[in-house]
């Protein structure tokens, strides 16, 4: 899907290409800057963190079926750790089974907490993407409008100044997206750490 940033950058390149009096070297410089911006924008292409975050809802007690299974006499299992002992008494669990069940409950509660942390990180990534996408549009749209106005009104003396503003805006856009990508990488590292904790917890369990 084409983002606002991609559309705005492509549009500004087209505007410079069509503008009169712009030399080939300047046009090439604009294309190079635009390519740098798009390379940063496209770094996250194909990542569907919304689907990933939704999948983490299956992590933990609800998703793995712990304490949600019909056991022994067909009674409903407890939904909270605090209810476990009384419920286990009704189904005749031994002390060893009681301990194992509590360990299992605690395990899945910790895994579910990790899933919640992962969803928070995914949401942060989506917010960063939205912010940087909007920022690129806000940066390049005004100088593009100035260039188009100068061309439409045949005020060709303003074209070089408008193109210079465009180049400055593309450089700023690249910095903005690069900063956003660094923040996204931090969030992805946090997600990886949460997954590592879940894996370690599962192995220990």
């Amino acid at each position: 899907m084409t983002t606002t940033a991609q559309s705005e950058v492509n549009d500004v390149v087209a505007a410079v290409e069509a503008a009169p009096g712009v030399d080939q070297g300047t046009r090439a410089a604009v294309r190079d800057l635009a390519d740098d911006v798009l390379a940063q924008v496209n770094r996250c292409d194909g990542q569907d963190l919304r689907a990933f975050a939704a999948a983490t809802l299956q992590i933990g007690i609800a998703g793995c079926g712990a304490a949600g299974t019909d056991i022994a006499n067909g009674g409903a299992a407890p939904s909270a750790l605090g209810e476990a002992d009384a419920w286990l008494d009704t189904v005749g669990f031994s002390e060893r089974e009681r301990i194992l069940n509590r360990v299992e409950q605690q395990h899945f509660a910790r895994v579910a907490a990790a899933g919640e942390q992962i969803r928070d990180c995914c949401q942060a990534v989506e917010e960063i993407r939205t912010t940087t996408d909007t920022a690129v549009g806000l940066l390049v749209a005004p100088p593009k409008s100035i260039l188009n106005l100068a061309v439409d009104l045949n005020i060709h003396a303003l074209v070089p100044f408008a193109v210079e503003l465009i180049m400055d805006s593309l450089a700023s856009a690249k910095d903005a997206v690069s900063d956003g990508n660094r923040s996204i990488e931090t969030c992805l590292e946090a997600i990886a750490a949460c997954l590592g904790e879940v894996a370690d917890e599962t192995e220990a369990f």
Side-chain angles (χ1 to χ4, degrees), residues 126-144:
E126 290 300 324
E127 290 174 355
I128 293 168
R129 286 178 177 172
T130 299
T131 300
T132 55
D133 187 56
T134 301
V136 172
L138 292 174
L139 284 166
V140 304
K144 181 190 70 175

Side-chain angles (χ1 to χ4, degrees), residues 18-160:
V22 181
D23 61 75
Q24 289 300 319
T26 301
R27 290 178 180 175
V30 170
R31 287 195 298 270
D32 288 343
L33 283 169
D35 288 343
D36 289 343
V37 175
L38 293 176
Q40 291 296 321
V41 170
N42 294 335
R43 280 182 61 183
C44 295
D45 270 5
Q47 294 179 353
D48 191 352
L49 289 183
R50 291 180 183 177
F52 181 71
T56 64
L57 293 171
Q58 301 303 314
I59 294 177
I61 291 176
C64 298
T69 305
D70 200 5
I71 301 176
N73 64 355
S79 58
L81 294 178
E83 303 171 17
D85 287 337
W87 178 76
L88 290 173
D89 286 338
T90 67
V91 298
F93 268 36
S94 69
E95 183 61 25
R96 180 176 180 279
E97 290 167 329
R98 186 192 306 276
I99 292 171
L100 288 175
N101 184 79
R102 179 163 292 278
V103 171
E104 181 184 75
Q105 292 280 336
Q106 292 171 343
H107 162 70
F108 282 113
R110 286 192 289 268
V111 172
E116 184 175 354
Q117 292 174 346
I118 290 170
R119 289 190 293 278
D120 289 342
C121 290
C122 290
Q123 182 178 354
V125 169
E126 290 300 324
E127 290 174 355
I128 293 168
R129 286 178 177 172
T130 299
T131 300
T132 55
D133 187 56
T134 301
V136 172
L138 292 174
L139 284 166
V140 304
K144 181 190 70 175
S145 297
I146 294 172
L147 175 61
N148 289 337
L149 187 62
V151 172
D152 291 343
L153 299 179
N154 290 317
I155 311 176
H156 294 169
L158 295 181
V159 168

